[in-house]
Amino acid sequence: MSWDLSDRTIRSQKIRLWTQRLREEYEQICFLYNLKLRRPVIRIDEMQSRWGFWDSESRTIALSERLIENYDWEIVLEIFKHEIAHQIVCELFKEEEAHGVLFKKACDRLG
């Protein structure tokens, strides 16, 4: 039997697995830090200019595919926690600030 998987199929499978792992990490982070947040949409994108973002309107945390492919998982998790901090500011503190006092407070809460 010959396995003929295209690069697109392999990429799709990697993204699916990474997304699933990030969902599991999200649940663990919320448990460890006693966060009562609604689970966001988690996406892996082909971003060139940034490592991740939180979109409060769509309730989405997106991380760069390039970040996940090229850096250790611990670094990926730090970026992920940074985006969760934005979610905390938005959903728990009910604010929309970017990197102000409440964001720092959320980061401190996440260690």
Side-chain angles (χ1 to χ4, degrees):
M1 178 191 308
S2 172
W3 290 92
D4 187 20
L5 294 174
S6 69
D7 287 343
R8 213 162 106 188
T9 302
I10 292 170
R11 179 179 175 271
S12 170
Q13 289 175 346
K14 286 193 308 188
I15 288 173
R16 184 178 52 77
L17 291 171
W18 289 333
T19 303
Q20 178 59 38
R21 175 112 185 255
L22 286 169
R23 283 187 192 114
E24 292 166 4
E25 296 283 2
Y26 183 86
E27 295 301 322
Q28 185 173 4
I29 288 166
C30 286
F31 177 77
L32 288 173
Y33 297 100
N34 195 28
L35 298 171
K36 305 296 185 222
L37 297 169
R38 286 184 26 224
R39 186 182 313 163
V41 173
I42 296 174
R43 249 184 25 221
I44 311 295
D45 283 346
E46 290 185 56
M47 292 183 268
Q48 297 302 315
S49 62
R50 56 188 179 176
W51 295 126
F53 67 84
W54 157 253
D55 181 343
S56 61
E57 286 186 30
S58 65
R59 300 195 63 267
T60 299
I61 293 176
L63 291 183
S64 165
E65 181 178 352
R66 190 168 48 96
L67 169 70
I68 296 172
E69 283 195 320
N70 295 311
Y71 291 87
D72 291 336
W73 192 249
E74 292 78 25
I75 301 296
V76 172
L77 288 180
E78 289 302 311
I79 303 297
F80 191 49
K81 286 168 67 176
H82 176 101
E83 302 311 331
I84 293 170
H86 285 294
Q87 182 187 11
I88 290 170
V89 170
C90 200
E91 294 186 358
L92 296 184
F93 302 153
K94 307 291 187 206
E95 291 291 332
E96 288 287 333
E97 69 176 29
H99 293 103
V101 173
L102 292 175
F103 178 77
K104 182 172 178 3
K105 184 177 175 181
C107 288
D108 289 345
R109 184 168 179 179
L110 290 170

